[in-house]
Amino acid sequence: MEFDFLEPVNDAIVKFVGALSSQELGSKVVFHTQDQFPDIEQVNIAIIGVLEDRTNINMINEVNLSNLRKKLYSMFPGNWDASIADLGDILAGDSVEDTYFAVKKVTASLIKRKVIPIVLGGSQDLTYALYRAYDDLEQMVNLVAVDNKFDFGKENELVSANSYLTKIIIDEPNNLFNYCNIGYQTYYNSQEEIDLIEKLFFDAYRLGEISNKISLAEPVFRDADLVSIDLNSVKSSASANMVTFEPNGFNGKEICALARYAGISDKVSSFGVFNHNSTLAESVIIAQIVWYFIEGYHYRSKEYPFGSRANYLKYIVPLDDEELIFYKSDKTDRWWIEIPFESNGNNKLKRNTLLPCSYDEYLSACNQELPERWWKAQRKNAL
């Protein structure tokens, strides 16, 4: 069984949680222990540790999530009613491919059961394993990475935290519909990589763009299936990462707001936080990121693609050579724009007929400006 890959939560953590008050989060979480495994059918959110972080094929860096679990479970939950389980850890395999296989099997099984895995890993190349978990779901995947780099690598390069995106793009089956980077820093990415993002009709937002207006990211997360956060996207003064020092990046408030956007998205079905150094100080910000994702989950509104369009106001905006159709939810005041769908024999694309957008994009369309994300999505649909 796929859950056999999971090792029980450390006894010391179980004992620590047992001493917490009934008001703290840990007392409301079901744990995989030596004696019992949670009933997955009763779970909404599953926390999984993955102890994989190898800088090269022969050396595995230690990943210790004990401090993180203590910080997370010592926090007080909001008015939450979702069932949360900590399923324990996936150990590093004999090879990185072994670890990918275990992560794929465990997370795929959870996603099929409508359980959202929160993967707390070592290196960010585990995003590749999360992406492969969607192989059997017969759908295209929208990946959002909060990262200061695009993580492209050479085609024959061994997959790593800095090159996993190339493997996602190249490997078959190719289920990637869209990739969006939130928070890239130009000096960490070559012009060739920036040009490639444009050539592939992917989306990318510089750190300054999002920091100046954090709400730009909300429609992006609303259209995501998989969200991967690289902790190096957070500046060291906020993350306490002094190993790979980052003078610039998101602050604590911003990264938690992004995590909440991910949680509130009705489509996000897996979430991961990677590339940390297992220090006590870093555990604080990671715990808060996870807390805000779970908080966002509890404010999901079950809108498109799960709701009916009958509850939306329809706006038609005529342009010179296009007619754009917008929808506004009368429940949340959020906006979508319709993508003309042309059947190309790939039924997996049918769910992309409505693209989340912002009110500002609607106003721009009224001023005869074609939304860039609409244009890119239409081009991808036509491929």
Side-chain angles (χ1 to χ4, degrees):
M1 185 177 178
E2 54 271 17
F3 296 130
D4 291 343
F5 292 112
L6 291 160
E7 292 291 315
V9 176
N10 187 285
D11 287 341
I13 297 297
V14 176
K15 184 177 180 180
F16 172 85
V17 170
L20 296 175
S21 75
S22 61
Q23 299 300 312
E24 290 169 289
L25 178 59
S27 64
K28 304 178 186 303
V29 175
V30 181
F31 290 87
H32 174 199
T33 66
Q34 300 287 349
D35 301 321
Q36 67 174 5
F37 191 85
D39 180 1
I40 296 298
E41 303 303 323
Q42 303 299 318
V43 172
N44 302 115
I45 297 172
I47 295 171
I48 300 168
V50 184
L51 311 186
E52 170 71 63
D53 182 5
R54 59 188 89 200
T55 53
N56 59 57
I57 197 168
N58 296 315
M59 186 174 73
I60 301 177
N61 296 325
E62 181 182 2
V63 179
N64 189 327
L65 301 176
S66 294
N67 290 326
L68 170 54
R69 283 186 163 104
K70 288 180 179 179
K71 289 295 181 183
L72 176 62
Y73 297 138
S74 296
M75 301 171 79
F76 292 93
N79 187 22
W80 300 348
D81 56 13
S83 175
I84 304 170
D86 188 330
L87 301 186
D89 297 323
I90 296 175
L91 304 181
D94 292 335
S95 68
V96 70
E97 287 78 14
D98 292 338
T99 309
Y100 291 164
F101 180 82
V103 173
K104 172 186 173 180
K105 288 297 184 182
V106 171
T107 55
S109 182
L110 291 171
I111 294 169
K112 287 178 182 178
R113 290 174 164 88
K114 308 299 182 184
V115 178
I116 298 178
I118 298 178
V119 179
L120 305 174
S123 48
Q124 200 185 13
D125 53 292
L126 293 168
T127 304
Y128 173 77
L130 285 177
Y131 163 72
R132 289 269 72 104
Y134 291 85
D135 284 352
D136 300 329
L137 301 181
E138 297 185 356
Q139 68 170 69
M140 301 300 284
V141 179
N142 289 342
L143 164 62
V144 173
V146 181
D147 201 337
N148 58 11
K149 301 176 183 177
F150 294 134
D151 295 327
F152 284 118
K154 297 178 181 178
E155 185 171 348
N156 296 322
E157 181 180 349
L158 289 173
V159 65
S160 70
N162 296 319
S163 65
Y164 73 90
L165 183 56
T166 299
K167 191 171 179 63
I168 286 178
I169 294 171
I170 291 175
D171 279 10
E172 296 288 344
N174 193 321
N175 299 321
L176 183 67
F177 181 73
N178 191 46
Y179 164 81
C180 181
N181 175 284
I182 299 288
Y184 81 93
Q185 298 174 36
T186 307
Y187 41 75
Y188 284 147
N189 301 276
S190 69
Q191 189 58 48
E192 289 79 6
E193 291 173 321
I194 296 172
D195 292 342
L196 182 58
I197 291 290
E198 286 294 316
K199 183 179 179 181
L200 295 171
F201 306 117
F202 290 159
D203 302 309
Y205 296 83
R206 292 179 64 175
L207 171 65
E209 289 181 88
I210 301 299
S211 293
N212 288 335
K213 191 174 184 179
I214 197 79
S215 61
L216 285 174
E218 189 277 326
V220 175
F221 285 109
R222 206 182 336 146
D223 200 37
D225 299 290
L226 163 58
V227 175
S228 172
I229 293 181
D230 183 337
L231 206 64
N232 289 322
S233 65
V234 183
K235 60 183 178 181
S236 291
S237 59
S239 70
N241 170 19
M242 299 301 166
V243 178
T244 53
F245 183 77
E246 295 293 344
N248 291 304
F250 292 116
N251 61 34
K253 179 181 177 181
E254 291 164 344
I255 195 65
C256 287
L258 294 176
R260 192 178 188 277
Y261 281 148
I264 211 169
S265 166
D266 291 309
K267 277 181 60 179
V268 169
S269 52
S270 59
F271 180 79
V273 184
F274 307 102
N275 282 356
H276 57 89
N277 299 292
S278 298
T279 64
L280 176 61
E282 278 184 295
S283 297
V284 178
I285 188 64
I286 300 172
Q288 292 184 11
I289 288 170
V290 174
W291 190 96
Y292 271 98
F293 177 83
I294 300 174
E295 168 83 352
Y297 172 84
H298 283 81
Y299 285 93
R300 291 190 172 191
S301 55
K302 297 295 186 289
E303 292 184 313
Y304 182 83
F306 306 105
S308 167
R309 293 193 195 186
N311 298 322
Y312 297 78
L313 290 174
K314 183 178 180 179
Y315 296 79
I316 300 176
V317 180
L319 272 64
D320 291 339
D321 53 357
E322 291 283 354
E323 186 177 79
L324 301 185
I325 300 176
F326 288 86
Y327 291 88
K328 178 188 176 184
S329 167
D330 59 7
K331 183 178 182 181
T332 63
D333 288 339
R334 295 191 296 185
W335 289 77
W336 285 261
I337 185 172
E338 190 169 83
I339 307 296
F341 178 77
E342 297 180 6
S343 178
N344 58 1
N346 190 346
N347 292 330
K348 291 187 289 186
L349 293 179
K350 285 186 177 178
R351 69 192 192 96
N352 292 291
T353 53
L354 284 190
L355 179 71
C357 67
S358 65
Y359 176 59
D360 287 344
E361 287 174 300
Y362 165 73
L363 293 179
S364 296
C366 291
N367 290 323
Q368 301 297 295
E369 297 177 16
L370 197 65
E372 184 178 0
R373 289 182 65 239
W374 177 90
W375 179 81
K376 288 181 177 179
Q378 190 179 34
R379 291 295 300 268
K380 283 198 287 282
N381 258 340
L383 292 177

